[in-house]
Amino acid sequence: MEFIKAKTLLTKVKNGDMWYGMDYNMNLYRGCSHGCIYCDSRSNCYHIDNFDVVRGKVNALAILESELARKRQKGVIGIGAMSDTYNPQEFKYELTRGALKLIEKYGFGVSVDTKSDLVLRDMDLLKKIGEKNDVIVKLTITTPNDDLSRIIEPRVCPSSQRFEAVKALNENGIFAGVMMNPTLPFITDKPEDIRQMVYLAHKNGAKFIHTFLGMTLRENQKDYYYQQLDKHFPNLKDRYITVYGSKYVCNVQNYNYLFSIFKNECNKYGILYDMRAIVKAYKKHNKIYEQTSFF
């Protein structure tokens, strides 16, 4: 693995209450090897060359400890939003595990984004962090179909394994659920898929499932995505161009109808889906949030 220099790791999050109640954000790795065909992090605005190559950050844990020791606010640190913190290099280098040890040591909380069941390795640390502060784990799952997940997310464990990870985390007292983002128009937006996603979340004990029912398309990300559509879904690119043109945010067609299905299924199984409700449910040590709907 290549290593790159970093001056800082933690960045303060503005309006973190709107996104899982995060106070700080951190990426221990740059780039990702999961190969997801839709990844927004490929966009030129993030300035990540050769995105599929994972790079670690030199002296990352020393930098993190120095920053944690100076922080007065013991807030929640988001990990993995830009580059999955449980990429295959984590098996060897354990930057994420080392960071969790420091987060526990200094009494911070953590909000983990991942597509990998490697997160189960660190269950012991997540439990310890939860004794002092707040913990939430979000498994990104885009489709209930393992065969489809192997096409659109070719180098990550299939959806079924991620659902199993959600189940294991919750059985061990860790607040965990599903990020059903993105939803790919004409690929993962069928009503039956949405119903099955919510059902599987319920079956595996997910505390929540959150979705925007759409995706982003811009710059380099769009070029890569369209190349993959030509490869795996012939003729679909032309439909995207016709429907979305140069739009950045591409909501699914029949959004209101599909969201009503999603909402009704969540209510049927008692699964949280509203961001404020999710934050209120997992925040035990810090702020209390009002449960009001964004929708």
Side-chain angles (χ1 to χ4, degrees), residues 70-83:
R70 297 195 306 269
K71 297 291 185 186
R72 288 187 174 183
Q73 181 184 354
K74 305 292 185 181
V76 173
I77 299 172
I79 307 179
M82 181 70 66
S83 301

Side-chain angles (χ1 to χ4, degrees), residues 173-189:
I174 296 166
F175 193 94
V178 174
M179 285 198 299
M180 197 174 81
N181 295 316
T183 304
L184 307 182
F186 319 121
I187 298 175
T188 64
D189 60 347

Side-chain angles (χ1 to χ4, degrees), residues 161-178:
Q161 285 183 233
R162 282 174 261 167
F163 276 116
E164 290 171 2
V166 170
K167 182 178 181 180
L169 289 163
N170 281 295
E171 287 178 344
N172 281 272
I174 296 166
F175 193 94
V178 174

